[in-house]
Each structure stands twice: as C-alpha cells, then as structure tokens.
Amino acid sequence: MTPDNDDTRPEQPGDDAPPGTPGTGEDICRNCKGSGRVEGEECPECGGTGYVIEGIGGG
C-alpha cells in the first residue's frame, strides 16, 4: 500500500504531528502494518489510511 500523500487528511491518533508539518514524513502504521485494518475493522491508529505522520531527522 502506498501512502496517499494527502496533507489534508485529518490528524490520526498515531500521528506525531498534523499532516504537512515541516520536519515530518509518512511512515507505515505499525499497528496495522500498512493495511489500514485490524481484526476486520478500521485501524484506530491511522484511521484506515495505513500510514502515520512521524518526525524525521533531529538535532
């Protein structure tokens, strides 16, 4: 599954920051492993998108 690259999607519980925040990027959701589903239901961490927003780099 490829991330949607949608900076307008609502922030999800598994996100470190809102989509589009500088210094962040998309990563596969660890909870659903990118499928968007957990036990037949929409993943609660990524909202069914299969990805979350995480901080990158650092200093």
Side-chain angles (χ1 to χ4, degrees):
M1 176 177 225
T2 304
D4 293 347
N5 296 319
D6 183 3
D7 290 346
T8 62
R9 88 157 167 72
E11 189 173 353
Q12 300 299 321
D15 291 342
D16 287 343
T21 301
T24 65
E26 297 172 354
D27 196 6
I28 292 176
C29 177
R30 291 185 188 116
N31 192 45
C32 68
K33 298 174 181 53
S35 72
R37 315 262 322 150
V38 175
E39 297 180 4
E41 302 290 329
E42 182 177 275
C43 178
E45 292 295 310
C46 67
T49 62
Y51 69 95
V52 293
I53 307 299
E54 294 187 341
I56 56 173

